[in-house]
Amino acid sequence: MAKTQTSPTIIFIFGGTGDLAHRKLMPALYNLYLDNYLCDKLSIIGIGRSEYTNDSYRQYIKEGIKEFSRRKEEINGQWDVFSQFIEYMRLDLGKNEAYQSMADFIKKKEEDWKAEPTIVYYMSVAPQLAPTISQKLYEAKITTNPAKSRIVFEKPFGHSLESAKELNTILGKMFKEEQIYRIDHYLGKETVQNILAFRFANALFEPVWNKHYIDHVQITAAETVSVEGRGNYYEQAGALRDMVQNHILQLLCMIAMEAPVSFNADEIRNKKVDVLNAIRKFNKTDVYKNAVRGQYGSGWLKGEEIKSYRLEPNVTPKSPVETFAAVKFFVDNWRWKDVPFYVRTGKALTEKISLITIQFKPSPNYAFPKEATETWRPNRLTISIQPEMDIRLRFQAKQTGPSMNLQPVDMVYRYANEEDQPEAYETLLLDIIEGDATLFMRADQVEAAWEVITPILEIWHSKPPVDFPNYSPGTWGPEDSEALIAQDGHHWVTLPIDEGNKKVPK
Ligand code: NAD
């Protein structure tokens, strides 16, 4: 994060009364303010259609901060000053007048501040609205200075390769690419950013970070929550679109990318696109062999009854939509030839966990007596992204005692308290204000990610599943997911076992 304060800034939050603004964006801005990143020439404008006064809107935001901010106890400290930066505008974003009101507001601020502010337009609205709003912003001529205005798009960006391309083309006609910030909030997480530091700031790992030493890589992004009433959205999405196309492929890129020559936004993004382009595209047989889909039925999870996905509101009774996906990818380049990357994600699973595992090849153990090697385990690096935040390296050590017996032990780097860590949205919002696009998805990156999953989507669409629902809540998904990795002689690195205070992956 930058250490200096930002320059004068106006942030328009379209959908300022919605869930994302309430739970994430406003608490993140408040924390940035508490950390002294935001300058006093600041305006945060929530825009929505509901009836609020400035005061009642501030009260609503305050409640959100109290409930969702990582630093709830400080709400009374500086809230009174911060709240004065927040205003509410009741506008219908489908109407041209809304944009005239914004233009007038900007002009007034420029006069008051005697400065040209950075202006952020944040699309915290349903994605279908984004093209209309973009068009109207453009027509109102309030995004004309690419160095000072930024337009932020939430996920999902497109629904398919074609729709993402179409959206990119439309936006490309109106805005410069450097004005467009496509959010993948995973990339703002401290633990994810640390992957780059870990890989490229340590001389130790780079020489072994390749097919010669790494046996395989696993990425798990598991959720315990079910669809929880969001059937409307999920019926259009599914696990592959919702998690693999964006978060998981981005994590894969961070693990697989070549060393950048600088931390320039385009340099990092070029290296990531190279990985996406190198991922082997699936043909029909590959989809059957290397991709598994699942959908949860009714059951119990941690003492709570979960009803089947197909019984969720707004879900069709025979829905073919997957709530679980596991895929084996290959990155066809020199570094990663024939190294499998197993990824999986799902809802209503045993644990909420995001974990990356780098499994090294076994070392020759000829020198040791047979009994010494019974507990022999190859080295493994485990990067826990959430909710645990740590990196652990497993290596072999001698058990204390007279004989040469070995045991695997973990060397652990654990992050400080969660409350001390900036939330992903804090990092991302500050980067947007400062104009640093490194952690955002470039047009070609989004399209390359869609290209990876499109063949799977197409085959799955043409062959509806016959066995859904095929897993119970509180499990690790369908049996085929275990088979996908077991057929190569591996197993998923799964739930951390709580050993006192220590979480140790199996
Ligand atoms: P939401 O439905 O809670 O909020 C949308 C807001 O837009 C509402 O306040 C609504 O009043 C407002 N709105 C709709 N039409 C409008 C119009 N014509 N004029 C003015 N205001 C209008 O949605 P959300 O959950 O906050 O999600 C917003 C975006 O963020 C979506 O694209 C979603 O996919 C994405 N997203 C949300 C989350 C999350 O945690 N909520 C996480 C990741 C991505």
Side-chain angles (χ1 to χ4, degrees), residues 42-59:
L42 172 68
S43 261
I44 302 168
I45 318 298
I47 295 180
R49 286 176 305 184
S50 321
E51 191 86 59
Y52 279 103
T53 61
N54 278 344
D55 279 347
S56 61
Y57 184 64
R58 286 171 189 153
Q59 188 55 35

Side-chain angles (χ1 to χ4, degrees), residues 15 17-20 23 48-49 91-94 124-125 127 129 154-156:
T17 55
D19 179 68
L20 183 69
R23 284 194 307 117
R49 286 176 305 184
L91 299 173
D92 182 347
L93 292 161
S124 186
V125 288
L129 280 178
E154 265 295 339
K155 87 163 210 196

Side-chain angles (χ1 to χ4, degrees), residues 56-117:
S56 61
Y57 184 64
R58 286 171 189 153
Q59 188 55 35
Y60 166 72
I61 297 305
K62 184 177 178 181
E63 279 153 20
I65 292 173
K66 268 185 175 163
E67 193 175 346
F68 300 112
S69 167
R70 66 186 165 94
R71 290 193 295 210
K72 300 168 186 63
E73 77 285 0
E74 292 182 51
I75 186 78
N76 291 322
Q78 295 179 60
W79 168 253
D80 289 344
V81 184
F82 179 73
S83 65
Q84 295 310 305
F85 298 129
I86 302 176
E87 287 173 64
Y88 181 71
M89 283 187 181
R90 186 177 177 216
L91 299 173
D92 182 347
L93 292 161
K95 303 233 165 81
N96 291 339
E97 301 88 85
Y99 302 83
Q100 190 52 52
S101 305
M102 286 183 240
D104 294 344
F105 183 90
I106 294 166
K107 194 155 174 271
K108 168 108 185 29
K109 282 289 165 196
E110 282 175 346
E111 283 163 15
D112 291 353
W113 290 345
K114 296 187 178 37
E116 187 185 355

